[in-house]
Structure formats: structure tokens, C-alpha cells
Amino acid sequence: MKYIIFGLGSFGKSLAIRLTELGHETIGVDSNMQKVEQLKDRITHTVCMDCTDKSAVSSLPLKDADSVIVAIGEDEGASLLATALLKQLGVKKIIGRVVSDLQKTVLEAMQIEEYILPEEESAERLAMRLDNSGIVDSFKVSEKYSIIETRVPERYIGMTLAEADLTNRYNVIVLTVLTLSKESENGLAKIFKRASGIATPNTVMHENEVLVLFGELKDIETLMH
């Protein structure tokens, strides 16, 4: 079988080596030439490229791959953008590495159903949540842009996204809407979030739901207040 692995950090490196040892054709991709050089004699192929560059990624044998694994863990924004790019290019099976509940939610909205287990919450994400009670979760996509989970502002309850016109009013994009439910797990009550799929102009915002927003933090904060 043929596998393509994006991200050759400790996890991606170990996965690539093990798959090669098991007899699979494995292509390891990373933007760090040092990581690529370290693996060139240990796996089938290595490629140094920007995993978020559409023209570069398009040159890979994506349609021949049985799975493409996005193993990028240190940069959630690059991981998300790479996954979205693979989805756009029609890759038949994508496995995403999830390092936060929010990232998992966004991947679910993109209908990515298979995940690598999440890791601990980052200090930056926790600090951001503590600093703004309206933010449920967040992560930076780049220096300029973030993805933020926030509860539906009261003034928009019952409105469709077309009626609210958040993109034109605040320059933010609603990726999906989450419903919250309290369920028991191992005898403990936990809050579970479920994505409603990719948001459309007809998506209605309800009380106690959570919006997943993409944009500049300053614009998102303006929307929230």
C-alpha cells in the first residue's frame, strides 16, 4: 500500500519508518530540509515542500495513495490548511492529527472522520480562553488569523447566517455551528460538542449553540461584543 505523510516530527517520523518497515511505500513530506535529509535513507521517498502550497502538493501522487496522513502537530494552522487543501484536491482518505477539540470540530465540518489522538491543550489556547469568557476555544492559523469558538451572540439567535451577514459586517467567516449536549462518560457528566456540517447561508443560529469563526481576532471580538 502507498502512504503519504505530511509532517516529519517525532510522530510523523516514527510512523513513516514503521510503515516502511512493514513493506509499504511511504512518502514523507516536510518543509524542514534537515528532517527530510534525516529520513531519506530510512523510508521509500522523502520530499521537502510547503505542505500548504497547492501547486507543490498537487505534484504528489495523491490519487494513488491509500491514505494521506497529516501528522503536523506543532503548527495547528498548517495542519488545518494542509487538510483543507487535500480535501479540495479530492484525496479519498485523509487521517488528521488532532491536538485540540476545536481542531477536531473543524475537521469534522470538513467531513474528516479519522483522527490521530489529541494531545494536551496549549498554554496559549488556555490563556486566550481565560482572558475572554466568550471564547470557548481557539487557535492561531497564522500571525494574522485565528479560528475561534464562541457562543451565538444573543442578538443573532433565531437568525440565518444570510440574515446576520457576519462576513460583510465583521469580515469573519462562520465555518460551522456546534450543538452542545451533556452526557455521562465513565460516570462523569461531560459536555460534548457536535458540528452541524459546513455552514451555509440558510444555517440558523440557536440559543446555546457555538459558532466556529475564522478571521482576525480583533474582528471576532467586535462581533462578540
Side-chain angles (χ1 to χ4, degrees), residues 166-187:
L166 302 180
T167 300
N168 288 323
R169 287 184 182 178
Y170 301 102
N171 202 31
V172 302
I173 297 170
V174 180
L175 299 176
T176 189
V177 178
L178 309 180
T179 56
L180 307 181
S181 62
K182 186 178 289 187
E183 300 176 20
S184 180
E185 185 177 88
N186 299 324

Side-chain angles (χ1 to χ4, degrees), residues 40-79:
K40 69 178 183 179
D41 296 324
R42 303 190 67 182
I43 68 174
T44 316
H45 305 287
T46 54
V47 181
C48 185
M49 69 167 58
D50 179 356
C51 297
T52 65
D53 183 324
K54 184 175 183 178
S55 60
V57 172
S58 298
S59 68
L60 295 169
L62 300 173
K63 296 196 182 303
D64 297 332
D66 293 281
S67 292
V68 179
I69 299 100
V70 181
I72 301 167
E74 65 278 3
D75 185 341
E76 291 182 55
S79 178

Side-chain angles (χ1 to χ4, degrees), residues 102 128 132 134-141 144-151 153 155-156 166 169-175 211-225:
L102 176 57
M128 199 170 197
N132 192 322
I135 292 178
V136 178
D137 205 348
S138 66
F139 70 82
K140 276 188 174 182
V141 172
K144 190 173 183 180
Y145 294 103
S146 296
I147 291 178
I148 303 289
E149 275 185 14
T150 183
R151 292 186 181 275
R155 63 188 180 278
Y156 294 123
L166 302 180
R169 287 184 182 178
Y170 301 102
N171 202 31
V172 302
I173 297 170
V174 180
L175 299 176
L211 302 178
V212 181
L213 306 172
F214 172 84
E216 292 188 56
L217 183 58
K218 63 179 178 62
D219 292 328
I220 294 172
E221 287 180 335
T222 301
L223 182 158
M224 292 165 57
H225 297 111

